[in-house]
Each structure stands twice: as structure tokens, then as C-alpha cells.
Amino acid sequence: MRALSVATFYRTKSCKKCAKNMNSIAQKMNIALISLTVLLFTISSVTIWVAIQTRTSTDNLLNKALPNAISTIQMVDELGEMMINLMEYSNGEIEDRAAFKQNYEAFSEYKSQLVATNDAAITEDLAKVEVLQQNLIIFANSRIFDTFDPLAEQQAKQKIQAISQPLEELLLILLEEMLKESRAHDAPRGDTYQVTIEYYTELVDEVKDMLADFNRFLSGDTDAKNQFLTDADEFDIYIKRLIPLEKNAVRLAQLDSAKHQFDHFFRTATALFQTFDNDAQPRAFKAVDYYGNSEYPRMKAILNKMADHSDSLLLEESRHLNHAAKIAVYVLSIVILISAIILATIIVFFRRSLFIPLKKVDKTINALRMGQRDIKFDDIEDNELGRIMKSLKTFQHELSELDILRKENARQKDALKQDKVDLTHALV
């Protein structure tokens, strides 16, 4: 029984000590400081979390979704430009070969900028694009660039033009002279002048027709060669008929020169007929048409699919970023609200537990200094300031007793003085 009483005594004493510690201002200040520390740590953690979430969404948006969307769109554009280059080259625009190479390099550059994703379908589509890209360059070189050379066609045209133009100009000069001479002699219709003029005109027309036939041959007309030979025979017939009719020695010499020029023109054209592949351009056109109707739509469809996926990824990351921003606003709002409540609580605590009691202590000390001894000490808390107030209450009681002692001492002194005076009067 005694042991139980001792245990109960120490337990009660320990509880009182704990309650006293909990009521301590220092303990409360420690709790407030710990709360502020936890609050600052919470705010810092939430801010860091918001920054990480925003940074992750932003990085996905800027480093993956947006580059893929831009790159795939650019790849579609470059593919279209390459098809235009092939068509223009097949049409004789030789500079489009260099343009095709530039667009192909740009296509490869945009493809290299695509960011790898975890989507198996996109990875498969990218592998298909890689294969189709390799097939495209092989196709362009073997079926178009190595098949058809616009420069060879231009050189052939220039070569024939260089030979036929002097011949045509010479025949036109001879025709002009005959017309002037006919007008000067006022030759009647059906006269030798008129027949000669008709032959000169036919010669000029035949040279023009042969030049047109050759150009049509270069463009792939299969009947142009036979027509050229037919027009050449016509030219030979007309010049043979013209020579006996021409009486002017100078013009005869010029006609002989024209015949030699024609022979050179004919031999050169015949040689080009044997060596020039006039079917190259039509084959190039057919190749471009084939690619445009088969491989190009397939490759474009894959790129468009990748572009759609990139757009979807862009929208998804935008939604993630928006969602992260909303969460950040909510979380920060809650943290700010809780922080405001905690700070208000701490301010109220310090005001009620520290500032107001300290002001009361200061007022009490000043009152005691001024001699007031009837101060009421109500609601004294069991803490450091409460103990100070208890000490001041005790001090007030001691000062009151001291004041009584001082008054008694003064009264006794006055009584002694009076006794002294009375004694002096008595002795006198």
C-alpha cells in the first residue's frame, strides 16, 4: 500500500511537471519556432514539387512534343518539294537536281531531329520512313537523274540550232533578193521568178520543219525522225529543181553553200538520231508518275500519321502542363491559407502569452515604484511570466509590510522626540 502511494505520488509529480513544461512560454516559443520551420520546409517542398512538375511537363512539351510536330510537318513539306523537283527536272529544269539534293538533306536533317518515344507504332513508322527514304534516293538516281539528262537535250538543241540557223538565214537572204528582183522586173504570175520564189520559200519552210521535227524527236515523239527524213527529201527535191532555174552566178554559189550546209545539218541530225536517247524524258516522266501514284502517297501517309501523333502528343503535354499548373495553384493556395492561419495563431499566441503579460509586468513595476500597494493580481498563469507576477505580488506584500514598519519607526521617532521635549520641560 505504501509502495502504491509512492508510485502515485511520483506519477502525479511527473504529470504536474509535464503540465508545467507544456504551459512554459519557452516551450511554446520552441513549438512556434518548430512550426515556422515546418511551415517553411513545407512551402519550400511544395514549391520544389510544383517546379519539378512544371519543368517535366514543359520539357516534354518543348523537347519532345513540339520538335516532333514541327519536324514531321517539315518532312511532309520537303517530300512535296522533292516531288516537284523530280517533275521539274523531268521537264528539262536541270537546276532542280541540286534543289532535290538540298531538299533531301533538309528532309534527313528534320528526321534526325525527331525525338524517340516509347510508342511502338511510331517507332515502326519511323523505320518505314527510313526505308522509303533510302528507296527514294535510289529511285531518283537510277530512274530519273541517271536516265534523263536535260543538259544533253539542251546541247543537242543548241548544236542543231547553230547549224540550221545560218542555213535558214542564207535562204531567207536569197528569198529576199528574188522578191526584190521580181518586183523590179514586175514579173507576171507563173513566170520563172514566181516559181523560183516558191522554191526558195519551200526551202525555208523545209528547214524550219526539219528543226521542229528534230525538237519533237528530242521531246520523245517517235514519228519525228521519219518526218525529219521526209522533209529532208523534200528539201533535196526543191533545191535540185531550183538550181537549173537560178541564172544568177552569185546566188548559184550561195545555193551550193546552202546545199553543203544542209548536208552538214542532215549528217549531224542523223548522227544524233543514232546516239541520242529520245525516250529518256518520257521514261523519266513515267517514273515520276509511278512514284507519285505509289510510293509518294504511302510515304506521305506515314508522315501524316506521325504528324497527327505528334499533334496528339503536343495536345496531351499541353493538357499535362495545364493540369500541373492547376494543381500548383490549388496546392499553393492551400499552403498559403494554412500558412496564414499558422502565422495568425503564432501572432495571437505571442500577443496573449508574451506581449500583453510583459506590458502588465511593466505597468505593475511602475505602479509599485510610484507607491501603489493595492494592485490586484488576478489570473496568474503557471509559467515564467506568471512566476514573475507571483514574485511581484510577494514583493508588493513585502513593500506593504516595509511601509508599515517605516510608519511605526517614524511614529516611534516622533514619540521619542516628544518624550525628549517633555523631559526637557520637566527639568527646567
Side-chain angles (χ1 to χ4, degrees), residues 282-336:
R283 291 202 307 273
F285 273 124
K286 290 180 180 178
V288 172
D289 184 67
Y290 163 78
Y291 192 87
N293 292 321
S294 59
E295 298 299 313
Y296 171 72
R298 180 186 173 193
M299 191 172 183
K300 186 177 180 180
I302 295 174
L303 290 175
N304 285 330
K305 178 182 175 183
M306 294 175 63
D308 292 339
H309 178 270
S310 298
D311 291 340
S312 301
L313 184 62
L314 184 62
L315 292 175
E316 182 180 355
E317 293 301 334
S318 299
R319 286 193 294 268
H320 287 169
L321 183 60
N322 186 39
H323 181 65
K326 288 181 179 179
I327 292 178
V329 170
Y330 294 150
V331 171
L332 289 176
S333 298
I334 294 173
V335 169
I336 291 173

Side-chain angles (χ1 to χ4, degrees), residues 2 21 73 84 128 141 159 232 237 299 375 411:
R2 179 178 176 81
N21 289 335
I73 292 173
I84 293 175
K128 291 179 181 179
N141 288 328
K159 188 173 184 180
I237 292 172
M299 191 172 183
I375 301 172
R411 188 187 63 78

Side-chain angles (χ1 to χ4, degrees), residues 247-264:
K247 304 302 182 183
N248 188 298
V250 175
R251 283 199 295 270
L252 278 173
Q254 291 176 326
L255 273 177
D256 185 63
S257 175
K259 190 172 187 312
H260 285 89
Q261 290 182 30
F262 170 76
D263 292 338
H264 179 50

Side-chain angles (χ1 to χ4, degrees), residues 352-379:
R352 293 182 60 183
S353 300
L354 188 61
F355 300 141
I356 293 177
L358 282 175
K359 187 176 181 181
K360 187 175 181 180
V361 168
D362 181 66
K363 184 178 179 181
T364 302
I365 292 172
N366 289 330
L368 291 173
R369 188 185 298 118
M370 297 300 295
Q372 186 176 347
R373 300 294 183 262
D374 57 349
I375 301 172
K376 293 183 179 181
F377 293 87
D378 299 328
D379 301 327

